[in-house]
Amino acid sequence: MQKEADRQKNRHHIFKGLKITAASLLSIVAAKELGLLYAPTAGIITILSIQNTKRSTLNTAAKRSMAFAAAVLLAWFCFEGLGYTVFSFGVYLFLFSTLCFVCGWVEAVAMVSVLITHFLIEENMDWQILINEAGLFVIGTGTGIIFNSALRRREKEFHILADLTDNEIKGVLKRMSQWLLVEDKSDYSDQCFAELEKKADTAKKKAYENWENTLFSSDYREIDYIEMRERQITVLKHMYNSIKMLKGIPVQTEKVARIIATVERDYHKGNPVDNLIYELEQVFEDMKKERLPQNREEFEDRAVLYYIMKQLDELLRYKQQFMKRN
């Protein structure tokens, strides 16, 4: 499954490289066919316009459009007032970059300023050169938007990453059911959580990327799913700490280990967990019928086992709530 995720990622990188190349070349050809000066600039604008998602591409285009309009006005005041010199360009750059930082247009500073240098080179800002620069901007930005409109939700890739996360969680649960029955838990480490959180984070990024590629949808199921798993991971960490607190192995430990093993066995996306919650409640009822602890150590261990059961219940409730929402 990990290999399949890596193959999907590599194919995505290759596709993105081809897309950027094709879009950039198309922009340059279009600018040349229209007789625009500095046609390669349109290709560079396209490269800078292509983002990872549809929403980010449109958001960036909107910011850069406002920045371009502001830059032209600032350049006109600077060049017409101070002359077409490097000093004038420096004044413009100071004013424009400051404006971009204030307005949140930071990503527009370099791209838009490249267009402004053409006024400096031509030493004029008459309507022909203004139309030329506007044409370069529209072609470059527009081509980037058009090429990114082909982006789709990569649901298969998300499901692969989510399954990897789920498999890691199953592994954590399996180890818990085994270590519960081991008296010396000094070798029971929490290293598995690092890999689990890494996989969950990767899946979450893909979920948000998929959402960003659906302009006219508010489908949050993938995000909701992975955030539910993140809450469960937090619970699993608490369960791990509780297991490490056990000093002995009360007779009830086997029942707790068995129900954790059952949860691990049935842990998958489509399980509404109602049956698992019922089984857990039955274990609670059975434990209430057990004889009372005979000494302080047994009392403390029984209390920890009860707390582990409550944590397991919390873990299952998160999944139950998710299934009801979706």
Side-chain angles (χ1 to χ4, degrees):
M1 193 175 293
Q2 182 63 55
K3 290 182 179 179
E4 177 62 23
D6 292 338
R7 282 196 291 269
Q8 290 271 356
K9 187 176 182 180
N10 290 334
R11 283 197 291 269
H12 172 62
H13 289 330
I14 293 171
F15 172 74
K16 187 173 181 180
L18 291 172
K19 179 179 70 175
I20 288 174
T21 302
S24 179
L25 293 177
L26 180 62
S27 293
I28 294 172
V29 170
K32 282 187 173 182
E33 288 297 314
L34 291 173
L36 299 180
L37 300 174
Y38 312 106
T41 304
I44 300 301
I45 293 173
T46 297
I47 294 172
L48 296 173
S49 296
I50 293 178
Q51 305 294 312
N52 291 324
T53 66
K54 290 179 182 178
R55 291 177 191 263
S56 59
T57 297
L58 290 175
N59 185 47
T60 299
K63 288 181 179 180
R64 287 176 177 168
S65 297
M66 291 185 285
F68 177 66
V72 170
L73 288 174
L74 287 174
W76 187 85
F77 281 112
C78 292
F79 290 143
E80 290 297 317
L82 302 174
Y84 290 85
T85 64
V86 173
F87 174 76
S88 301
F89 181 75
V91 174
Y92 147 79
L93 193 57
F94 168 73
L95 295 174
F96 179 61
S97 59
T98 302
L99 178 66
C100 286
F101 285 126
V102 171
C103 297
W105 303 337
V106 179
E107 66 272 20
V109 174
M111 187 196 80
V112 172
S113 293
V114 168
L115 295 172
I116 300 303
T117 60
H118 298 165
F119 299 139
L120 178 63
I121 294 169
E122 295 296 319
E123 296 188 351
N124 74 80
M125 287 187 69
D126 58 24
W127 66 269
Q128 291 97 335
I129 191 66
L130 285 172
I131 291 175
N132 186 89
E133 300 313 300
L136 293 175
F137 179 82
V138 170
I139 291 172
T141 304
T143 304
I145 292 173
I146 291 170
F147 268 72
N148 257 23
S149 66
L151 288 173
R152 296 289 182 271
R153 292 171 63 98
R154 303 214 303 277
E155 294 182 359
K156 181 179 178 182
E157 190 169 334
F158 169 77
H159 289 309
I160 290 172
L161 294 170
D163 287 343
L164 287 171
T165 302
D166 290 354
N167 287 338
E168 286 290 328
I169 291 176
K170 284 172 68 71
V172 171
L173 287 166
K174 184 176 182 178
R175 283 188 288 275
M176 285 180 173
S177 66
Q178 294 169 342
W179 276 101
L180 262 174
L181 300 172
V182 178
E183 188 164 2
D184 181 9
K185 297 177 176 61
S186 57
D187 291 334
Y188 183 27
S189 74
D190 61 353
Q191 291 180 354
C192 56
F193 287 106
E195 186 63 27
L196 171 56
E197 289 177 324
K198 180 181 177 182
K199 284 184 168 59
D201 186 58
T202 303
K204 187 175 184 178
K205 288 177 181 176
K206 179 55 59 181
Y208 274 98
E209 183 180 310
N210 282 344
W211 179 78
E212 286 269 339
N213 280 322
T214 51
L215 293 177
F216 307 108
S217 171
S218 56
D219 186 352
Y220 294 95
R221 280 177 297 178
E222 291 179 355
I223 295 173
D224 192 18
Y225 181 81
I226 204 65
E227 287 183 345
M228 177 269 295
R229 289 306 194 210
E230 285 183 327
R231 288 190 287 273
Q232 289 185 321
I233 291 170
T234 300
V235 174
L236 287 171
K237 285 182 175 181
H238 294 323
M239 288 178 66
Y240 165 80
N241 291 329
S242 298
I243 292 171
K244 292 283 284 185
M245 289 170 61
L246 287 170
K247 298 174 183 177
I249 306 177
V251 292
Q252 297 80 12
T253 307
E254 189 173 341
K255 291 181 181 180
V256 178
R258 194 182 305 126
I259 188 63
I260 292 176
T262 301
V263 172
E264 182 268 325
R265 183 195 65 199
D266 296 339
Y267 195 93
H268 58 81
K269 283 191 185 75
N271 189 347
V273 305
D274 294 339
N275 289 337
L276 288 173
I277 290 175
Y278 175 77
E279 288 186 47
L280 183 60
E281 288 172 347
Q282 292 303 115
V283 176
F284 272 119
E285 290 302 316
D286 290 343
M287 289 179 69
K288 287 179 182 178
K289 299 174 184 177
E290 298 279 352
R291 65 172 178 81
L292 294 174
Q294 301 301 301
N295 54 57
R296 181 183 180 85
E297 186 174 287
E298 186 181 352
F299 174 82
E300 290 175 349
D301 282 341
R302 288 270 293 273
V304 172
L305 283 177
Y306 182 81
Y307 186 53
I308 291 171
M309 296 274 286
K310 295 297 289 184
Q311 290 168 326
L312 187 62
D313 180 70
E314 183 181 4
L315 181 137
L316 293 174
R317 298 288 176 182
Y318 281 138
K319 179 64 183 299
Q320 187 183 55
Q321 292 162 11
F322 168 81
M323 295 299 288
K324 287 179 178 179
R325 286 194 302 271
N326 294 276

